[in-house]
Amino acid sequence: MLSVGRSYLSHLECSACGAAWPADELQTLCRRCGKVLLARYDLEAARGALDRESFERRQQGMWRWQELLPVRDEANVVALGEGGTPLLRARRLEERLGAREVWIKEEGLNPTGSFKARGISAAVSRAKELGVTSVAVPSAGNAAAALAAYAARAGLQAWLYMPRDTPEAMLNECRAYGAHIRLVDGLIDDAGRLMREEKAGRDWFDVSTLREPYRAEGKKTMGYEVAQQLGWRLPGVVVYPTGGGTGIVGMAKAFDEMEALGWTGPERPRFVSVQAEGCAPIVKAFESGSRTAERWQNAATIAPGIRVPAAIADYLVLDAVRATGGTAVAVSDAEILAAMSELARLEGIFAAPEGAAAYAGYKKLLAKGALDPAESAVVFNTGSGLKTHELAARLTP
Ligand SMILES: *Cc1c(COP(=O)(O)O)cnc(C)c1O
Ligand SMILES: [Zn+2]
């Protein structure tokens, strides 16, 4: 199907203590310090062997980057057509905002309707390669739907733990794929606690956000794609609706890898992390100068994917935002709904509330003078509005 080269994956490295771990056995968190592991590649060898133009001639999609993804044998790739999403120039929004160059990365077109498909495709492929037969995850809905689909395609059992108020479309989708579903009174971190309790003594592999190293690898392909779609020029800012922060961690890694490969230079897009006013632990930590975030109490927002009160990779997200001279901003549910309406009416994009939050955050920072309208911006719409279509009834022109 792909017939491209081998993976340059070399080992896993702890993002906190630097310990190295073998990549060809199952790993979750660092066994020395309990922090997040990142996949490392032999980029020096890859630099001599891979030229960026050759990738443009390959089949569209995430797996065109196979040498820079963790799967050794392409027979283990579990794919449903993830990645290769359009980067849409938003000329009507530019006009409205007085901004020079605004792009929407339209991740709603992924299988299962969100960009979770990228990370889950990578994680399930690698788990299958390493002999896993059952996978489990706590999720606000989209990761569960993606895991249910990719597990079905790989012939794995999926155990999903979700808040009871997860949108119906996501729950129905999970049911259709035949996954085992547990609804939890509480939020995604409560669901995670219950999952880890019930997992004890069973052979489930935990694919929670950034507790296993390969979901971030799938999501990093968004960084490769954006660079390629802009002709290997990186945007001024990347605006990202932040829950667990996998996309920021992954894209920061992609920009570093591309520089090491000689594909791009030392420039970096400034990361803008957008959260909801009702759940903004990263924004609060950013503003207070802290390197880690406190758990957010009574988290509430209409955007389930960013209703994440505590993120294990908080330090990586905050480091990436600060290292790039970026910023963090919170938006209200009313601003999210207004942004959904604007994206739909002006650009024909029925965005997920999380993607609308990103656009609302971008707009807010422009209005405050905290972002320069002359700077090119890529705003991530991370999912399809169809998964929370009931919100459409609340939109007003
Ligand atoms: C999960 C999710 C997010 C947050 O993604 P992270 O990379 O975990 O921060 C944003 N939008 C949607 C639609 C999601 O499902
Ligand atoms: Zn460690």
Side-chain angles (χ1 to χ4, degrees):
M1 157 189 125
L2 294 154
S3 297
V4 291
R6 66 177 178 95
S7 170
Y8 284 86
L9 179 67
S10 58
H11 64 287
L12 298 168
E13 184 182 82
C14 178
S15 60
C17 78
W21 301 100
D24 290 302
E25 49 190 70
L26 284 176
Q27 307 278 0
T28 53
L29 294 171
C30 176
R31 279 179 271 143
R32 185 198 285 170
C33 76
K35 298 289 186 185
V36 174
L37 297 183
L38 298 173
R40 297 297 180 207
Y41 298 77
D42 183 353
L43 295 175
E44 217 163 295
R47 184 186 174 107
L50 305 178
D51 77 286
R52 64 186 195 188
E53 276 70 32
S54 72
F55 285 82
E56 302 185 41
R57 294 188 291 270
R58 294 181 180 176
Q59 189 181 312
Q60 273 287 343
M62 175 178 118
W63 290 99
R64 71 162 38 166
W65 311 104
Q66 191 174 344
E67 291 96 326
L68 303 160
L69 288 171
V71 175
R72 302 274 184 212
D73 176 352
E74 74 178 78
N76 291 318
V77 169
V78 184
L80 286 164
E82 53 293 320
T85 58
L87 185 66
L88 303 170
R89 184 78 186 256
R91 297 209 186 261
R92 302 215 324 138
L93 296 181
E94 287 170 5
E95 206 171 301
R96 164 152 313 188
L97 300 171
R100 193 177 54 81
E101 188 183 337
V102 180
W103 301 87
I104 308 287
K105 183 64 171 160
E106 179 41 323
E107 291 292 303
L109 294 181
N110 275 295
T112 73
S114 86
F115 72 157
K116 290 293 194 299
R118 293 182 190 258
I120 296 294
S121 174
V124 166
S125 299
R126 186 64 174 149
K128 181 182 165 207
E129 185 161 77
L130 296 177
V132 166
T133 55
S134 291
V135 283
V137 79
S139 166
N142 280 327
L147 186 63
Y150 286 86
R153 190 156 168 83
L156 310 182
Q157 298 278 315
W159 302 83
L160 314 174
Y161 288 73
M162 284 176 274
R164 197 170 296 283
D165 60 358
T166 297
E168 264 313 297
M170 299 177 191
L171 293 176
N172 283 333
E173 190 182 358
C174 293
R175 291 184 186 112
Y177 297 127
H180 308 276
I181 298 168
R182 278 278 258 145
L183 297 181
V184 178
D185 293 308
L187 298 171
I188 184 170
D189 56 343
D190 303 307
R193 259 189 303 277
L194 183 67
M195 187 273 273
R196 280 185 285 279
E197 245 171 69
E198 298 197 349
K199 180 170 113 39
R202 310 200 213 198
D203 64 348
W204 300 354
F205 184 61
D206 180 355
V207 289
S208 302
T209 302
L210 289 161
R211 285 173 184 266
E212 77 68 63
Y214 300 120
R215 283 175 63 181
E217 294 303 291
K219 277 201 179 166
K220 87 180 175 188
T221 60
M222 298 188 293
Y224 282 89
E225 270 177 33
V226 165
Q228 185 179 61
Q229 287 171 313
L230 293 176
W232 305 103
R233 167 179 68 92
L234 298 180
V237 295
V238 163
V239 188
Y240 188 82
T242 311
T246 327
I248 289 184
V249 172
M251 282 191 277
K253 199 166 174 288
F255 298 138
D256 290 348
E257 289 174 1
M258 285 190 286
E259 186 184 0
L261 289 164
W263 293 4
T264 53
E267 73 281 9
R268 291 291 183 275
R270 302 201 287 134
F271 281 116
V272 176
S273 169
V274 182
Q275 296 195 302
E277 283 178 359
C279 183
I282 297 290
V283 177
K284 188 175 170 210
F286 178 78
E287 286 172 352
S288 68
S290 168
R291 195 185 174 216
T292 55
E294 271 171 59
R295 183 178 195 275
W296 192 269
Q297 300 300 324
N298 305 315
T301 165
I302 57 170
I306 55 174
R307 196 178 60 166
V308 179
I312 189 160
D314 52 359
Y315 62 105
L316 294 177
V317 174
L318 286 156
D319 286 357
V321 169
R322 291 191 173 113
T324 59
T327 188
V329 66
V331 295
S332 68
D333 282 355
E335 288 170 317
I336 293 175
L337 290 168
M340 265 179 93
S341 182
E342 210 170 301
L343 284 162
R345 284 166 177 264
L346 291 180
E347 297 289 355
I349 296 169
F350 188 23
E354 297 84 356
Y359 174 63
Y362 175 60
K363 200 173 155 167
K364 198 167 184 168
L365 291 171
L366 280 180
K368 281 206 298 195
L371 282 180
D372 179 356
E375 214 170 16
S376 61
V378 171
V379 179
F380 274 81
N381 175 37
T382 46
S384 164
L386 290 173
K387 304 201 79 172
T388 47
H389 65 86
E390 57 284 350
L391 292 175
R394 296 168 61 182
L395 302 183
T396 44

